[in-house]
Amino acid sequence: MATSNPPVSQTRSFSTVFLIEMWERFGFYGMQVLMVTYMVKRLGFVDSKANLVWGAAAALIYATPAIGGWVGDKLIGTRRTMLLGAVVLALGYAMLWIPSGSEFLLYCSLGVIIVGNGFFKPNAGNLVRKIYEGDDTKIDSAFTIYYMAVNIGSTISMLLTPWIRDHVGARYGDAWGWHTAFGVCAIGLVLGLLNYSLMHRTLAHVGAPADSQPVNVKRLGGLLAAGAAMVFVAAFILQSELVARVCVYAAGVAILGIFIHLIRSSLQHERAGLIAALVLTAQTIFFFIFYQQMSTSLNLFAQKNVDLSFDLFGLHLFNWIPEQFQSLNAIWIVLLSPVLVLIYNTLGKVGKNPGVAVKFAWGFAAVAAGFFMYGVGARFAVNGQISSWFMVWGYGLYSLGELLVSGLGLAMIARYVPARMGGFMMGAYYVAVGISQYLGSVVANFASIPQQVADPTVSLPIYTRLFNQLGVAGVFCTAIALAMLPLMKKLSASHSDAATNNDPLPPVHSETIPPSS
């Protein structure tokens, strides 16, 4: 170990970030798994309104880390910004704990969560990078474990919070059931903050230059005021479908304009890489339209048209609560990730590791098969309900597609975008992903079920029509990805040696948002 390093092991420093990230994801996914059905069942929203509100919130959740990374790097420091984000997130979940049926309180709570996520997410990832800076042999392993924290926290909370809602609701009333479940999300983050307070010294040597300087009270006050204003801006966007739509589409035009400007103003040897990044980003946007179905149409489908009993060879195993099916995504990600890494490494040793564009095509094919799985399940439905096992295998294919497409999005930016544009392009990439989350909610509304419809045999064909159409769209995206392969091969060949000679990167989960720089 170099003499300039403090006597704190990388493992201890990493454990501090790992644990607070795990609790943060516990809180976020515990909230997300319930949010759409909370709006429908507790607040009385129609399906279409609930889908669009959550779609707009998801878009903002993905967009704000681009600002939060800059705040951590330039204003108050990486550690301080991450800690501030965790506190703000805990406050947002605590606001959802209040047993109120107020729409305004919901929008403000989501606004607080959006701001808190923007502060927390990029800076937690940035700290991991800084802990292992210059240690290439350990950084991949560290991010693999860090990525596991995302899935450990999310899996536990997605199974736990629906169970808490049902059991508390049965004993103390429906309102207390919902709000206690949200309260558990706040408690999880408080536990994470308590643990951080005990271990924070292990990060004393890690962070941005601003972390080593005294807190600028005036700057911090301005930041808190801007954050508070952003809460109300977000609440205003969420409460109006028209405002949300205008903001999302304006952001889309801006991102496209930025790409065009960068391509036109880039150096000749950079242009091919930027065009390749634009093509792959467009494909990633289409993927996230599929991805958003998990918390919208697939969630509501599980409420109405899935037999909640898991049976095997006539033997009853257990029952699930409808929202718990969303945890299948994280479970499959954990199971499939090491398999894919092994395949990539094995193929890489013999020089056969396929390019990112090929993996994108495979990913869309897997997503298409996943959505067709629900349509197949409908053919074997009993009284309008399909077997839970079709959800298991549908989510498995869908999660494989996630690893192949969204998981490689960051690798694509690293490979094709010049280093001097990297931080900015990471931010632009996640804003584009946020736009597609909203578009995914718009797509989910093609299967909006009228409130008066309670018969599963009526809702089943409406949902399966959407899922089959999404399967066809997945096939179409696969065909486009395959058709683009010659162009992508040509662009890669034209790209600068500095980009094309990079080793293939391991899959990175879509929730592992990188810092801005």
Side-chain angles (χ1 to χ4, degrees), residues 430-501:
Y430 275 100
V431 172
V433 169
I435 292 168
S436 63
Q437 298 271 24
Y438 182 82
L439 295 177
S441 294
V442 172
V443 169
N445 280 346
F446 287 111
S448 179
I449 308 298
Q451 282 184 307
Q452 66 272 18
V453 173
D455 185 352
T457 61
V458 175
S459 57
L460 181 64
I462 297 175
Y463 282 119
T464 52
R465 185 183 307 117
L466 171 64
F467 299 148
N468 285 331
Q469 289 170 345
L470 287 169
V472 171
V475 171
F476 185 66
C477 288
T478 304
I480 292 177
L482 290 172
M484 295 295 289
L485 287 180
L487 173 62
M488 294 303 297
K489 186 175 182 179
K490 182 178 179 181
L491 289 172
S492 294
S494 303
H495 189 39
S496 65
D497 288 341
T500 54
N501 290 337

Side-chain angles (χ1 to χ4, degrees), residues 14 79 100 133 140 163 196 216 240 245 259-260 319 335 347 354 413 416 455 482:
F14 172 76
R79 295 195 310 272
S100 166
E133 198 164 25
D140 286 350
W163 181 86
Y196 181 84
N216 185 318
S240 171
R245 189 186 304 121
F259 258 112
I260 293 172
N319 277 27
L335 294 174
L347 292 175
I413 294 291
Y416 291 113
D455 185 352
L482 290 172

Side-chain angles (χ1 to χ4, degrees), residues 118-141:
F119 286 144
F120 182 92
K121 198 62 190 168
N123 291 290
N126 202 0
L127 284 176
V128 176
R129 293 180 189 276
K130 289 177 183 293
I131 289 168
Y132 292 97
E133 198 164 25
D135 193 345
D136 293 338
T137 61
K138 292 184 178 179
I139 187 67
D140 286 350
S141 298

Side-chain angles (χ1 to χ4, degrees), residues 42 54 90 92 144 178 199 261 263 308 387 395 421 436 447 468:
R42 170 72 177 142
W54 177 244
T144 299
W178 285 105
M199 301 177 68
H261 171 72
I263 291 169
L308 305 178
S387 167
Y395 265 95
M421 303 178 187
S436 63
N468 285 331

Side-chain angles (χ1 to χ4, degrees), residues 13-332:
S13 300
F14 172 76
S15 297
T16 303
V17 184
F18 171 91
L19 288 170
I20 194 169
E21 171 74 18
M22 184 182 73
W23 282 113
E24 186 276 328
R25 289 292 88 184
F26 174 94
F28 181 82
Y29 278 103
M31 175 275 299
Q32 177 185 281
V33 78
L34 297 175
M35 184 51 65
V36 170
T37 44
Y38 169 73
M39 287 188 275
V40 171
K41 294 186 176 182
R42 170 72 177 142
L43 300 184
F45 287 17
V46 296
D47 288 7
S48 57
K49 181 177 180 180
N51 286 338
L52 290 176
V53 169
W54 177 244
L60 292 170
I61 285 167
Y62 267 86
T64 51
I67 302 171
W70 176 79
V71 169
D73 284 345
K74 306 298 183 184
L75 295 184
I76 64 172
T78 307
R79 295 195 310 272
R80 291 170 183 154
T81 309
M82 181 190 74
L83 187 61
L84 176 62
V87 172
V88 173
L89 281 166
L91 176 61
Y93 302 139
M95 291 170 65
L96 290 171
W97 199 346
I98 300 170
S100 166
S102 167
E103 286 187 32
F104 180 71
L105 180 61
L106 169 69
Y107 298 138
C108 289
S109 301
L110 288 173
V112 172
I113 291 166
I114 288 163
V115 171
N117 184 78
F119 286 144
F120 182 92
K121 198 62 190 168
N123 291 290
N126 202 0
L127 284 176
V128 176
R129 293 180 189 276
K130 289 177 183 293
I131 289 168
Y132 292 97
E133 198 164 25
D135 193 345
D136 293 338
T137 61
K138 292 184 178 179
I139 187 67
D140 286 350
S141 298
F143 265 99
T144 299
I145 298 171
Y146 182 72
Y147 146 79
M148 293 294 287
V150 170
N151 291 284
I152 292 169
S154 62
T155 301
I156 294 171
S157 63
M158 285 194 285
L159 292 172
L160 182 63
T161 54
W163 181 86
I164 289 173
R165 179 205 58 198
D166 282 7
H167 283 260
V168 173
R171 178 166 294 189
Y172 299 105
D174 183 63
W176 279 110
W178 285 105
H179 296 287
T180 302
F182 288 129
V184 168
C185 301
I187 292 171
L189 256 182
V190 170
L191 290 174
L193 286 165
L194 289 173
N195 183 78
Y196 181 84
S197 70
L198 297 173
M199 301 177 68
H200 72 279
R201 290 181 182 84
T202 64
L203 293 174
H205 63 293
V206 183
D211 281 298
S212 59
Q213 300 172 0
V215 176
N216 185 318
V217 177
K218 184 179 294 186
R219 182 178 291 176
L220 179 61
L223 179 63
L224 292 175
M230 182 60 196
V231 168
F232 290 104
V233 169
F236 175 70
I237 293 172
L238 295 177
Q239 60 84 39
S240 171
E241 181 182 332
L242 176 61
V243 172
R245 189 186 304 121
V246 169
C247 290
V248 168
Y249 294 157
V253 172
I255 291 295
L256 181 60
I258 289 168
F259 258 112
I260 293 172
H261 171 72
L262 289 177
I263 291 169
R264 292 180 63 184
S265 62
S266 62
L267 301 176
Q268 183 66 37
H269 72 277
E270 296 174 335
R271 198 160 295 161
L274 285 169
I275 294 172
L278 175 59
V279 171
L280 293 174
T281 298
Q283 291 181 4
T284 304
I285 287 174
F286 278 105
F287 170 79
F288 272 97
I289 292 174
F290 298 125
Y291 182 85
Q292 182 69 350
Q293 304 312 307
M294 182 174 69
S295 57
T296 54
S297 62
L298 278 171
N299 177 25
L300 295 171
F301 176 64
Q303 303 284 332
K304 299 178 176 71
N305 291 105
V306 176
D307 181 353
L308 305 178
S309 174
F310 280 87
D311 302 313
L312 189 62
F313 303 120
L315 178 66
H316 175 69
L317 302 177
F318 54 86
N319 277 27
W320 258 11
I321 299 167
E323 289 89 348
Q324 291 178 324
F325 284 96
Q326 294 176 64
S327 69
L328 288 168
N329 178 239
I331 293 169
W332 275 113

